[in-house]
Amino acid sequence: MSPDAQSSNQPSKKDVSIGAYLLGRLKQLGVKHVFGQPGDFNMGFLDLIEDDEGIEWIGCCNEMNAGYAADGVNRVGVLVTTFGVGELSAMNAVAGAFSEMVPVVHIVGTPSTESQSQGALLHHTLGNGDFKIYHKMYENITVAQTVLSHHNAKDEIDRVLRECYIHSRPVYISIPTDICVKKIAADLSQPLVLTIPENVHEVEYAAINRVIGRIHKSANTIVLIDACASRHDISKELLDFINKTGFPFFTSPMGKSIIPENHPLFGGIYIGSVSEPHVKREVEEADLIISIGAIRSDFNTGGFTYHVSQAKTIELCYNRIKVFFATYEGVSMKHALPKITACIERMPSSTISPPYQHNLLEDDVKDQRITQNWFWHEVSSTLLQENDIIIGEMGTSVFGLMDIRFPPGSTFIGQILYGSIGYSVGACLGASLAATNVKERRRVCLFVGDGSFQVTAQEISTIIRHNLNPVIFLINNNGFTIERMLHGIKRKYNDIAQWKFDQTLEYFGGSNEVGRTVKLATKSDFKSFVSSILPATPSRIQFVEVMMDKYDAPRALIGTASFTAEEHMKEKVLPMLHEKLHKKEVSGEQ
């Protein structure tokens, strides 16, 4: 049934402003917060947001950070900017959401239709009378775009929001100042139609039969789960499939925690040649690999070092199924996977994957320095709790998190494909607000490096302003360690200014009542801090500076760097790095 369909017993349409209609539709998508910055072309719409009881306006320090926050809510996020300068500032964040397949609605307040039709020489333009140029820029980083008018607003709002939800990608909505307040006849009691179209029966039938036939012939099948399984909401269907088949499953770094990592069939994280040995062996020696929602980017595959043959791989994707070298287009995994599960005849396997094992480290009590591998092991074994939202910055943090096991109910947020430095701080704001909307408030743990933090640090002030309580671990290793691993290990361009991080909360307007700042320089310091915050979720911000050596790096980063750096860097940088690392604590080196 279309959004406009009505029955005789439904209420008649009422006049509502276009801006109010858009807000009503956003609330139907579960939107609770709108992020952005005010500008003279969006303030009429901001009035409507501020006066709406169901949505809260979150003013950020800049538009890019607002985009990161909208990305971090882990559902449909909304970003509002002004024309030109505002939307261009947000473009990097929207591009990241497009790359990572995150549904973000970017609403841009633009000059009036009269000013645009006259080609007026207005501020925020390029001075050439072209008011479409920014819109055109967004065509490559959004899945749908529209310019609202009095005549098309209702249908276009419904169309674009549906595209955002169905395809899990950003969309762009332009609202001229005079259009926002125009009245239209609309009935918001009619919900948006958000169902995914059914697969073509004949193609789906052929694909499912082929998949089931290959599964029943295999003696050693494993499942490899990647990010699209989460992006396109098949976690439940996937868990049903795992439970019925008894197949061991592994995930990519981007697929972490889609299925709980305490599941008895979880084997670990597969990162190609960077994987821990038992994981690499089980995946690559399997007779059949069922790949779900794969994103084969460089950092997600250990520098393109997957050693799995297409001749033994079945791929289930958002809009196709591939069985070895045959492709069935237009068959969505959302509809197909439950049918595959229903048809599987095999009982749960008696061969269970070995339990997930992290590299256990011998704790040298005489050496109190906090090293990367020790830190991440301790984070896994002593810090993380059930239902945590775990955010990792693209740097040593993401690579450290790759190797550790998350507790049940955890959610992982990172930007491994797009990898925009500073993303995680804005995402922490969005995730922290989202965590307040659930019945049992979830703890948010952010892990960010000192270099990345300096890019978007000002959003800490927004976190303070809204009385949020994340646990923020700032890894102070004196610069961009991930860049050092790839190139220029001793170059000055990988250095940063040393801030007084222990004054961060104070500088951004906080006090002892809103947060606590802690500096950890030894292993004993870390253990004492963990003991002080467990088991309860902190009621105020915990800003934790962790001191580490600038040439130290997690196992997975060292391995990935060895496959992605240029040949001359593999010859020069990595031997230098290995010489400086505490070798007894860096196991599984490639």
Side-chain angles (χ1 to χ4, degrees), residues 434-486:
T436 66
N437 293 330
V438 295
K439 291 181 180 178
E440 296 184 6
R441 293 184 63 159
R442 302 176 65 185
R443 187 177 69 167
V444 176
C445 294
L446 166 64
F447 299 91
V448 59
D450 51 351
S452 298
F453 180 76
Q454 289 189 359
V455 179
T456 50
Q458 61 270 60
E459 229 49 61
I460 295 296
S461 66
T462 313
I463 291 173
I464 292 172
R465 181 182 179 188
H466 290 278
N467 300 311
L468 303 172
N469 59 336
V471 182
I472 300 172
F473 287 92
L474 181 134
I475 297 173
N476 187 341
N477 50 12
N478 197 21
F480 296 108
T481 295
I482 185 173
E483 310 295 5
R484 297 188 202 279
M485 302 301 103
L486 297 173

Side-chain angles (χ1 to χ4, degrees), residues 157-168:
I157 288 170
D158 289 359
R159 176 186 71 85
V160 170
L161 294 185
R162 172 180 162 80
E163 292 293 294
C164 179
Y165 183 88
I166 295 295
H167 296 289
S168 191

